[in-house]
Amino acid sequence: MERKKSTSFQVVTTFGVKMLVLFGSFIISIILARALGPEGKGIVTAIFVVPNLIISLADLGVRQATTYFVGRKIYPLQDILSSVMVMWLITSIISLVVVSAYFFTGPSHVYGWGLLSIALLTIPISLFNNYITGVLLGKERIGVVNLSGLFSFIVNLFSLVLLVSIFHLGVHGAAITQVLVAFVLMIYGYFIVSKYAKFRFKSIQSIPMELTKKGISYALALFILNLNYRVDIILLERFTDTNEVGVYSVGVSLAELIWQLPAAIGIVIFSKSATSLNENEAIERSTRLLRITWLPLFLICLLFWLLSPLMVSYLYGDEYIEAVSVIRWLLPGVLMMVLFKILNADLAGRGYPIFALHVYIITFLLNVVLNLVLIPREGMNGSAIASTISYTVGAIIFGVVYARKSGIKIHTLFVLNRDDYNLLRNLFKQLTLKARYSQRKI
């Protein structure tokens, strides 16, 4: 029987892995930006934005629903996996048709089918990886999920250096890299999950329907959320040019680095909440982690705001310097979205994704309207302003909804209590004792 790790251990290890991947992502981002230039970077961003959005919808929430059903042991794992494989085949075919139809509306004339075909190839592979991750999270194999992040970074780095820097394949090399990364994760996930069950294409009883019914709310919520994150790229491409899209994408990537800690926490919370039978315990765990992370993330945002000119100029070059204003406009909204990312992981894990869907339909519409108004006037800065406003409004509304749903007061999400202070004090004492013990051994 597998030994389950504590929440704090899983958060720390997940965050540690994400920090390693984050450091690597800096290197990858710099290589890509300098090798391709703003225009090439903009093209790569543009061709993948719609496939990635469709993946989030075509997923049908199967990843989250699988986590829920596996974690609660509602059906045998073999039956779940066999049904999931059938769903993967169907959703992959439909997604390829839909994205191809979209490419026919204009992108095929701009970028050519050779490049767009590479983007299409990532769809079935990425969907497979999403479904397999659901099984791993349901089994609380968070360490395996973390390791897949390291594999992703290593393959990404070596492929990018080989195809873009050495063989000078440009945007085609960058696009092929995305396929290679997804393919390696596919093979890795296949071998891990095959230890628990066999991969078969067989629909078992009503499981596909149950997965879809449970997961569709997850899928719609994730789709609307991702659309809210990426509608600015779609509209910028239509109103401006790929050069501006490339600069903007660098600013967005740097600003969204702030989300690495809440992303690490969110993975653990989702897995824990999906397998927890005590809702009060899940609520307390999630709100405590949120309260503890507010101050350090605020300080990190402040540091980012101050150092962004040096970071962009030194790392990416002066041709991307306009990304500084994008970063600074985005940071307040990015900080506010931390609230959503942590609390939504708890609600989604407990089987309530519909709350995120209701909230973010409103904020998505607000984001679209603001982008349409501000992009013609302010360009990429207008898009950053629109995103920050919509992120902030969405986070505030979601915080109120979460508090009401969980039966807690709104200040509970922000103000540290006595138990939090005691936890931090004990943690600090443990770290101090370990440091002193290590010094004595030396």
Side-chain angles (χ1 to χ4, degrees):
M1 185 175 179
E2 293 172 3
R3 183 182 176 186
K4 293 186 177 181
K5 306 295 185 180
S6 68
T7 301
S8 58
F9 176 83
Q10 290 175 334
V11 168
V12 170
T13 55
T14 303
F15 180 61
V17 171
K18 281 191 171 291
M19 288 299 98
L20 289 174
V21 175
L22 176 61
F23 178 73
S25 298
F26 260 123
I27 299 173
I28 292 170
S29 179
I30 293 165
I31 294 172
L32 192 62
R34 287 187 174 273
L36 300 182
E39 183 177 3
K41 182 71 167 60
I43 291 172
V44 173
T45 301
I47 66 170
F48 280 102
V49 65
V50 172
N52 288 338
L53 285 171
I54 294 301
I55 287 169
S56 68
L57 180 61
D59 177 280
L60 295 175
V62 172
R63 176 172 63 87
Q64 294 89 338
T66 300
T67 301
Y68 183 82
F69 283 117
V70 172
R72 299 291 174 92
K73 296 180 174 61
I74 297 175
Y75 296 108
L77 178 58
Q78 181 63 66
D79 291 350
I80 294 175
L81 183 60
S82 298
S83 299
V84 163
M85 286 298 95
V86 174
M87 298 178 70
W88 167 69
L89 184 61
I90 295 171
T91 55
S92 294
I93 293 171
I94 294 173
S95 300
L96 288 170
V97 172
V98 171
V99 177
S100 296
Y102 169 78
F103 283 161
F104 267 114
T105 65
S108 61
H109 303 299
V110 178
Y111 306 116
W113 278 108
L115 189 58
L116 296 178
S117 296
I118 300 173
L120 285 171
L121 189 56
T122 61
I123 293 175
I125 303 175
S126 297
L127 280 172
F128 182 91
N129 292 336
N130 285 357
Y131 292 173
I132 294 307
T133 301
V135 176
L136 294 173
L137 289 175
K139 300 290 291 183
E140 289 199 45
R141 294 301 306 275
I142 295 173
V144 173
V145 176
N146 289 337
L147 194 57
S148 69
L150 288 177
F151 285 154
S152 175
F153 155 61
I154 293 169
V155 176
N156 200 346
L157 179 60
F158 278 95
S159 299
L160 201 59
V161 170
L162 184 66
L163 299 177
V164 178
S165 299
I166 296 178
F167 290 117
H168 304 291
L169 295 181
V171 293
H172 287 81
I176 293 171
T177 295
Q178 299 301 309
V179 177
L180 290 176
V181 170
F183 182 73
V184 169
L185 294 184
M186 181 181 186
I187 299 300
Y188 174 65
Y190 174 85
F191 280 111
I192 295 297
V193 174
S194 62
K195 296 177 181 178
Y196 299 105
K198 294 181 180 180
F199 283 83
R200 297 170 178 168
F201 290 89
K202 184 178 180 181
S203 181
I204 307 296
Q205 299 175 355
S206 61
I207 293 179
M209 183 59 68
E210 291 298 317
L211 285 170
T212 303
K213 285 169 59 179
K214 187 69 178 178
I216 193 65
S217 296
Y218 291 108
L220 289 174
L222 182 61
F223 176 71
I224 292 296
L225 185 61
N226 284 335
L227 197 56
N228 196 35
Y229 291 153
R230 297 297 173 249
V231 70
D232 47 2
I233 299 290
I234 297 173
L235 294 175
L236 267 178
E237 185 196 13
R238 298 288 172 152
F239 282 104
T240 59
D241 53 39
T242 52
N243 186 79
E244 192 155 350
V245 171
V247 174
Y248 181 79
S249 68
V250 165
V252 170
S253 297
L254 284 173
E256 291 181 355
L257 291 176
I258 304 297
W259 287 341
Q260 293 303 310
L261 176 57
I265 294 172
I267 291 172
V268 177
I269 287 177
F270 179 78
S271 180
K272 289 285 187 181
S273 296
T275 57
S276 176
L277 300 178
N278 188 328
E279 289 205 351
N280 290 331
E281 179 183 295
I283 293 167
E284 175 58 28
R285 176 171 54 236
S286 304
T287 53
R288 172 168 293 169
L289 287 170
L290 176 63
R291 291 191 299 268
I292 290 173
T293 56
W294 271 121
L295 181 58
L297 285 175
F298 171 78
L299 296 176
I300 292 172
C301 280
L302 183 60
L303 193 63
F304 256 68
W305 196 95
L306 294 171
L307 298 180
S308 56
L310 290 175
M311 292 171 62
V312 172
S313 179
Y314 181 74
L315 296 175
Y316 295 92
D318 291 337
E319 57 186 341
Y320 289 95
I321 199 64
E322 291 181 77
V324 172
S325 59
V326 172
I327 294 170
R328 287 178 167 177
W329 280 116
L330 280 173
L331 281 176
V334 165
L335 179 61
M336 287 301 300
M337 278 297 289
V338 170
L339 180 148
F340 169 80
K341 286 188 168 292
I342 292 178
L343 298 185
N344 182 57
D346 172 47
L347 278 183
R350 289 190 278 137
Y352 305 116
I354 199 69
F355 291 96
L357 177 60
H358 288 159
V359 170
Y360 275 89
I361 284 179
I362 298 171
T363 55
F364 164 68
L365 294 175
L366 174 63
N367 198 3
V368 171
V369 171
L370 290 173
N371 269 286
L372 291 174
V373 172
L374 295 174
I375 289 177
R377 295 172 54 187
E378 304 292 338
M380 55 185 170
N381 286 333
S383 192
I385 295 169
S387 294
T388 278
I389 293 173
S390 66
Y391 291 175
T392 302
V393 171
I396 292 172
I397 295 174
F398 191 83
V400 172
V401 169
Y402 181 91
R404 290 180 177 176
K405 168 66 180 173
S406 303
I408 60 176
K409 295 182 179 180
I410 193 70
H411 75 267
T412 305
L413 307 178
F414 303 96
V415 182
L416 290 169
N417 58 36
R418 183 176 298 175
D419 290 337
D420 298 333
Y421 285 116
N422 290 335
L423 177 67
L424 291 172
R425 189 182 299 112
N426 290 334
L427 181 61
F428 179 75
K429 286 181 180 178
Q430 290 176 10
L431 292 174
T432 303
L433 288 173
K434 286 182 179 180
R436 289 177 180 174
Y437 178 74
S438 299
Q439 288 178 350
R440 288 175 182 174
K441 288 184 67 177
I442 295 173

